[in-house]
Structure formats: C-alpha cells, structure tokens
Amino acid sequence: AVLGWGYRASDQRRWAVLHPACGGRQQSPIAIAARQAIPISIPAMELVGYQNPLPGPLTINNNGHSVALTIPKYSSEEEKKGFRLPYIFGGPLDNEYEIESFHFHWGDKNNRGSEHTLNDMRLPLEMHIIHRNKKYRSLAEALQHPDGLCVLAFFYQVVEFDAKLLTPIVKNLSAVENFNTSMQLPHTFSLSSILSGLDTERFYTYKGSLTTPPCAEAVTWVIFSDYLPISVFQMDNFRGLLSNQNLPLVDNFRQLQPLFGRRVFVRIT
Ligand code: B30
Ligand code: ZN
C-alpha cells in the first residue's frame, strides 16, 4: 500500500481500510488451546525434499515488517536433471504444496513475539514456511483461492545452552539491518537442518488467512506443538533489525483474531 502498514494496535485496526480482507471472518492468527481443539485422526505431514540443500543463491530480505528468505525456482535445465523444490502433502491437505518462502515474527522481550498463542502463551519467535498449492501457478493466483496456501508454523523457545539451528540465517542478519535491504546468503542449507530434532507428529490445523495485509483468506494453517530452540544471543540478532520507520523491528505480530465459529483440530498421535 502507498503509506504502508504498521503493527501498533491503532495501525492494525486500520489495515482493513486499504485491505478489506483484513476485516473478514477467517482471519489469523488465533489463540490455540489444547483443551478446545477437536482431536482428529489424520495422516502425518509429509515434508518432501526438506533434507536437500535449498536452491541457491538464497536471498535474505529485510522488508521492514519481517526478515524473509525467498527460494529461487529451479530453471528448466535443473528440472530436467531432476531437481525439485521441497513440497508438502498429507495432514489436512488434499493436494501437494510447494515451498515459496519463509520468514519470522518476534518480540522485543522473550515473553512475546509469536503470532499464534498456545494455551495462552506467547513464544519469543514463530517461523512461517509458506507453501503454494501446485495447482496454482503463482502466489498471486493462489491468494485468490481458499486452498491456495499452506503455512507451516513453528514456535521457538529460548534455551540456555548454545542453540545453533538458525545460525546460517542469524549470522547474516546484521547485513540486512536496514529495511529494504537484501543480500545473498554465502551458503545454502536444508530445511531439515533448521528443524533438526522437531517432533512433526503432533500439530494443530485450521483455516485462516495471511497475518499481514492483504490478509487473504487462503491459508490452511499447520502449527506444530513441539518447540525449536533458540539462544538469547540469537534472539538479539533479530531485535537488531530496523523497521520501515527506522525503529527497532520488534513485536511484528498481529493481534489475535476471532474464531467466528471456526474449528481448530489437533492430530491424534
Ligand atoms: S503469513 O505467513 O501469514 N505471516 C504473505 C505470506 C505469508 C504471510 C503473510 C503474507 C504474502 O505472501 N504477502 C504478500 C507478499 N508480500 C511480500 C512479502 O512477502 O513481504 C507483499 C507485501 O507484504 O507487501 Cu510483505
Ligand atoms: Zn508470517
């Protein structure tokens, strides 16, 4: 949008003026409560190609409201050689969804930062891995369909010991301190390496939206209940980034949205 948008409560209340979907009835994030989720027997999520190195060069971008990594598409030459982007299926999904990008939401303090809450808790960091339904050819097209995207959400917990999973990303954050800056990462890595040790068997799922403008109601959310570890030192690297108003880029999470009768499911393990 012309004037952009911000995360202050007074700014968030105005998102729907320029982006009407932000005022809809299937918005994200929401409060997730184990006791209120409906247990269902559904398949595990299958994360295909997550163990392969992501195609390079990976670009890291401070867009003023988050730090995002975009995944380059393989060329037709590379596709002929059999290279494929990571994709997912299973869980609540009826189709295959291919990775697009991933980014983070975090707080100024360790007691906040995540967009979804889990049993009334806010975690200090939440990672979103965005996948596009393969039946749609672009992100823009996918955003126009209720089954357009699947976002995998991962919570982080601050630990005392050295947590190194996010090192390939965190050690480059200082290079994109200012908003509207990007750089190519010197080394690619696999998604499995940043998810190492995570139990993917147990997750919540519900139908929602992008948590930022344009707030398209196109997202099947899959939210893992297991936590990934991050150190205080690594959290401080996120907090050193600058926003589109040249202020510390922190607390980039949206307020909780009403359920309006939607159901939240939890997978039976
Ligand atoms: S989220 O996972 O629900 N937080 C988008 C994707 C996922 C989420 C939020 C937004 C998205 O695709 N937004 C439209 C594209 N963006 C570019 C971008 O990725 O950075 C355009 C924009 O908003 O102006 Cu920010
Ligand atoms: Zn997000």
Side-chain angles (χ1 to χ4, degrees):
V2 187
L3 298 168
W5 48 268
Y7 276 107
R8 286 181 309 185
S10 55
D11 289 334
Q12 292 195 33
R13 282 193 292 274
R14 283 194 290 270
W15 286 4
V17 176
L18 290 175
H19 307 279
C22 300
R25 295 173 64 90
Q26 289 192 65
Q27 289 291 291
S28 296
I30 60 166
I32 306 278
R35 291 178 50 203
Q36 277 144 37
I38 301 163
I40 45 164
S41 175
I42 53 171
M45 290 300 301
E46 301 292 336
L47 312 177
V48 184
Y50 266 47
Q51 74 283 12
N52 301 334
L54 290 166
L58 288 173
T59 303
I60 187 169
N61 175 229
N62 174 346
N63 57 31
H65 49 265
S66 185
V67 60
L69 286 97
T70 48
I71 322 286
K73 303 261 188 282
Y74 281 119
S75 66
S76 52
E77 286 304 306
E78 290 167 314
E79 281 186 351
K80 272 184 226 148
K81 292 181 189 154
F83 290 97
R84 290 288 179 279
L85 288 177
Y87 68 94
I88 61 176
F89 67 96
L93 304 177
D94 294 329
N95 300 100
E96 295 178 350
Y97 289 66
E98 185 175 81
I99 190 164
E100 281 274 335
S101 63
F102 59 105
H103 65 254
F104 300 85
H105 302 264
W106 62 91
D108 187 28
K109 297 274 167 15
N110 291 340
N111 66 358
R112 59 179 190 260
S114 67
E115 296 221 283
H116 293 90
T117 60
L118 189 52
N119 302 326
D120 293 324
M121 267 188 307
R122 279 196 191 277
L123 285 300
L125 181 70
E126 182 173 331
M127 175 171 66
H128 291 157
I129 310 187
I130 291 97
H131 302 76
R132 172 186 36 79
N133 192 328
K134 286 189 187 181
K135 74 183 185 191
Y136 304 122
R137 289 194 316 268
S138 68
L139 179 68
E141 186 187 349
L143 289 180
Q144 297 175 35
H145 300 274
D147 63 351
L149 299 179
C150 176
V151 181
L152 302 186
F154 302 87
F155 293 120
Y156 288 80
Q157 166 183 52
V158 170
V159 296
E160 296 295 325
F161 57 88
D162 222 10
K164 296 214 176 300
L165 295 185
L166 283 179
T167 299
I169 297 166
V170 163
K171 73 171 180 218
N172 294 291
L173 289 178
S174 60
V176 292
E177 181 176 338
N178 294 307
F179 77 96
N180 261 330
T181 56
S182 51
M183 76 165 301
Q184 295 186 349
L185 291 192
H187 306 286
T188 182
F189 53 86
S190 70
L191 292 167
S192 309
S193 70
I194 63 173
L195 300 177
S196 181
L198 188 88
D199 170 13
T200 57
E201 291 290 310
R202 190 180 151 84
F203 55 79
Y204 299 92
T205 183
Y206 78 98
K207 299 288 283 172
S209 73
L210 303 181
T211 64
T212 65
C215 306
E217 293 181 339
V219 181
T220 302
W221 282 94
V222 172
I223 300 164
F224 295 95
S225 58
D226 197 17
Y227 298 152
L228 286 160
I230 186 160
S231 67
V232 182
F233 172 77
Q234 292 196 320
M235 280 304 313
D236 285 338
N237 286 82
F238 282 98
R239 294 170 182 144
L241 299 171
L242 295 171
S243 76
N244 46 13
Q245 304 180 83
N246 261 312
L247 298 168
L249 175 46
V250 293
D251 297 334
N252 54 349
F253 57 91
R254 187 186 193 188
Q255 293 181 336
L256 295 174
Q257 300 297 304
L259 271 181
F260 290 118
R262 282 177 291 172
R263 299 193 228 228
V264 180
F265 300 96
V266 61
R267 177 171 181 261
I268 299 172
T269 51

